[in-house]
Amino acid sequence: MKLEFPKPKIVSFREEVSEIPNSQYLTHSLYYHPAKFIPQIVRYCLDNYSTEKGVILDPFAGSGTTALEASIKGNVSYMTDINPLLDYFYPIKMPKFNLEQWRIHYDNSRIFLDKIFNEKPSSLMDINGELEYWYPEELYKFFKKIWTNYHTLKKGEDEISQKIVILVLFKLSKLYSFAEHSMPKLFISKRKRAFIESFLKKSDRYEIINKKALTFLKEIDKSVTGLLKDKKLSGEIIYFPGVDAYEFDFNKLSKLDCIITSPPYLQAQEYMRTFKMEMRWTGISNDKIKDFSGKEIPFRKAEGMIEGDYIKSVRNKLTKKNLINMFDSYFWFTIKTLEHASERLNKGGKICILIGNPKMEGIEVEIWKVIYEYFVKNLNFKPLVVFEDRIVSRKLFKGRNNLNPEGMKSEYLIVLEK
């Protein structure tokens, strides 16, 4: 029997969760991450679909929005994500230390940063990552010296101070490069070329970089201090960075009360490329980066095909072989990951999935309908509600080779019960 899809309920999660002032509050703005899950949606799901002190999973954890909000509410949370750099971000974004300990770590990081800028390394580290492409020669040599000092001197520093400083260096190395630092994906823009060319004419350019490093450090301090003063992170956070969620053994986790996640959006690929510069500066090899990138959705060959009336109707409209392959790969790996994760849900547990509707060959692909149909018809999940939330702002690639240049107008939150 053909499944009837419900009419999505229009909602503004920013208005529904008014106690969260904005999507950047606390440490949610600690570092740049593409297509971040807004905290209001996660909080809404926790308030309405999770049991008190329940166990939460986000298999596509990204910036860690789900974990931070879950911990504030006292929930235990599990996070998996392909990005290995999350091991640098999460301990600062979701601290296990108190305010007094933070002040010690912060003071140590200021001293460590000063050493990095002022000590002369005996030799420079060997980086075979084509990083020279992203910098003028002068700035490449400067950052090579800075990162050499980081790797050489970090052995004498505590782990949290190391991670504070590396967050500063990530921001600094991207800002003073040709790479566009405020957009997803890694590319060189005319705007950044002009900025760097103008910057190199300044006689005090290295003083400017040093001051900017201290500014970044103070911004991190403000975010973390605000979190530690205002909130208590009472829920345990267990995360697995640099792992493929499709291959991950979810059976090693406790039984779950709720899954709250936002999978990648079909053509929103090259997630790992966004962090390629940072990975190379940390010493991750090109081969390892290619390995991570090769496991991204949808950069792999589908092992099967997701069946369903809606997905079949859309697939039949596509004509380009490469897009059909991408389509099949995306839905296979995304839905199978969600299916495997959902096997750990307790009976009556909820799965909350936020997704958008991209276009392929001008055809709108309503991803929520594919997920909805599969979970309801194949896995016998009970449908609870589908919300439509209008997107307030989205950074787009205007003027570039963007397959969806107008972006998406709404995002959809599907809520299902096991």
Side-chain angles (χ1 to χ4, degrees):
M1 189 188 337
K2 191 170 182 179
L3 184 69
E4 296 247 349
F5 293 106
K7 184 178 180 180
K9 180 180 178 180
I10 303 295
V11 68
S12 170
F13 288 111
R14 288 170 175 81
E15 293 177 6
E16 290 288 331
V17 187
S18 56
E19 66 265 33
I20 293 181
N22 57 70
S23 60
Q24 304 297 312
Y25 90 124
L26 303 178
T27 50
H28 284 300
S29 61
L30 192 64
Y31 62 94
Y32 179 78
H33 195 282
K36 286 197 290 190
F37 211 169
I38 68 168
Q40 292 92 334
I41 295 177
V42 175
R43 181 70 69 84
Y44 185 89
C45 294
L46 289 166
D47 288 345
N48 291 279
Y49 304 114
S50 172
T51 58
E52 187 177 358
K53 309 294 184 184
V55 181
I56 313 297
L57 167 68
D58 186 346
F60 301 103
S63 70
T65 303
T66 298
L68 180 56
E69 291 300 317
S71 187
I72 289 171
K73 294 285 292 182
N75 299 88
V76 174
S77 60
Y78 291 105
M79 307 284 114
T80 66
D81 197 271
I82 193 74
N83 189 350
L85 295 181
L86 298 184
D87 202 27
Y88 294 108
F89 301 139
Y90 281 7
I92 309 300
K93 180 168 184 172
M94 297 165 275
K96 293 183 178 180
F97 43 78
N98 59 33
L99 188 57
E100 184 179 351
Q101 291 167 328
W102 168 250
R103 295 261 50 96
I104 295 171
H105 292 312
Y106 177 71
D107 289 340
N108 288 343
S109 69
R110 291 191 65 173
I111 296 168
F112 182 26
L113 195 60
D114 185 67
K115 290 179 187 175
I116 287 170
F117 270 85
N118 292 299
E119 291 198 13
K120 185 176 180 179
S122 56
S123 61
L124 295 177
M125 62 187 285
D126 181 32
I127 303 174
N128 182 22
E130 300 176 351
L131 279 166
E132 302 97 321
Y133 173 76
W134 302 99
Y135 298 89
E137 184 179 2
E138 180 182 337
L139 288 179
Y140 174 68
K141 288 180 178 178
F142 172 79
F143 281 111
K144 194 169 183 179
K145 171 203 154 189
I146 294 296
W147 279 99
T148 296
N149 276 343
Y150 171 81
H151 288 288
T152 304
L153 302 172
K154 69 179 182 180
K155 297 169 186 174
E157 306 295 330
D158 69 86
E159 187 178 344
I160 297 301
S161 298
Q162 289 179 34
K163 290 178 178 180
I164 297 169
V165 168
I166 208 168
L167 286 182
V168 172
L169 297 187
F170 282 159
K171 292 185 177 188
L172 210 62
S173 303
K174 197 79 165 278
L175 177 60
Y176 294 103
S177 73
F178 291 133
E180 188 55 66
H181 59 277
S182 61
M183 296 287 284
K185 298 188 184 178
L186 186 64
F187 70 99
I188 294 176
S189 70
K190 291 180 181 178
R191 186 194 74 83
K192 277 303 294 288
R193 279 196 181 277
F195 168 77
I196 293 297
E197 287 168 7
S198 175
F199 175 74
L200 288 175
K201 294 175 183 176
K202 299 179 183 293
S203 60
D204 59 343
R205 51 191 174 277
Y206 295 113
E207 291 175 31
I208 293 172
I209 294 177
N210 203 331
K211 287 179 181 177
K212 193 65 178 178
L214 293 175
T215 298
F216 284 145
L217 191 62
K218 289 174 183 176
E219 289 173 354
I220 293 169
D221 178 41
K222 183 178 178 181
S223 294
V224 176
T225 298
L227 171 64
L228 293 173
K229 282 184 176 179
D230 296 344
K231 304 291 181 182
K232 181 181 179 182
L233 301 187
S234 57
E236 185 182 8
I237 298 169
I238 305 102
Y239 61 94
F240 302 88
V243 303
D244 176 12
Y246 176 74
E247 297 177 351
F248 185 77
D249 181 12
F250 291 102
N251 288 321
K252 68 171 68 173
L253 309 182
S254 305
K255 292 291 281 185
L256 307 171
D257 297 292
C258 192
I259 295 172
I260 304 173
T261 193
S262 182
Y265 285 15
L266 191 52
Q267 290 177 173
Q269 60 242 26
E270 298 190 353
Y271 170 46
M272 295 308 297
R273 182 175 169 82
T274 302
F275 298 97
K276 188 176 180 180
M277 283 178 63
E278 290 90 337
M279 285 192 284
R280 286 306 294 124
W281 282 123
T282 59
I284 298 175
S285 69
N286 278 341
D287 287 343
K288 193 66 177 173
I289 293 171
K290 287 178 183 177
D291 182 55
F292 285 124
S293 298
K295 291 181 179 178
E296 275 191 70
I297 298 171
F299 291 159
R300 52 213 294 194
K301 186 177 179 181
E303 297 176 8
M305 190 177 294
I306 297 298
E307 299 292 341
D309 294 331
Y310 176 75
I311 191 172
K312 184 178 179 180
S313 70
V314 176
R315 190 182 191 277
N316 286 342
K317 295 175 185 176
L318 301 176
T319 61
K320 297 179 180 177
K321 178 79 172 166
N322 65 318
L323 292 184
I324 292 172
N325 290 339
M326 180 187 292
F327 182 89
D328 290 341
S329 176
Y330 172 79
F331 282 110
W332 176 264
F333 290 107
T334 299
I335 288 182
K336 285 299 180 179
T337 297
L338 292 171
E339 180 181 1
H340 296 155
S342 71
E343 291 169 1
R344 294 302 293 163
L345 276 173
N346 289 312
K347 185 173 176 55
K350 313 298 191 297
I351 181 166
C352 306
I353 306 166
L354 182 77
I355 201 69
N357 291 348
K359 289 184 178 180
M360 297 187 87
E361 295 188 53
I363 301 162
E364 185 176 28
V365 183
E366 296 181 89
I367 298 175
W368 75 265
K369 288 186 177 180
V370 180
I371 298 172
Y372 184 98
E373 183 177 42
Y374 187 87
F375 270 76
V376 172
K377 289 188 74 173
N378 294 42
L379 305 181
N380 297 314
F381 271 68
K382 177 184 176 182
L384 298 184
V385 66
V386 178
F387 292 106
E388 178 182 354
D389 187 26
R390 300 288 289 179
I391 295 175
V392 174
S393 65
R394 173 79 70 196
K395 292 185 177 181
L396 299 170
F397 296 115
K398 299 285 187 180
R400 298 186 75 234
N401 185 22
N402 187 355
L403 296 175
N404 194 13
E406 298 305 316
M408 290 174 284
K409 306 300 181 186
S410 298
E411 290 174 310
Y412 297 83
L413 180 69
I414 319 162
V415 184
L416 308 163
E417 181 180 292
K418 187 171 182 180

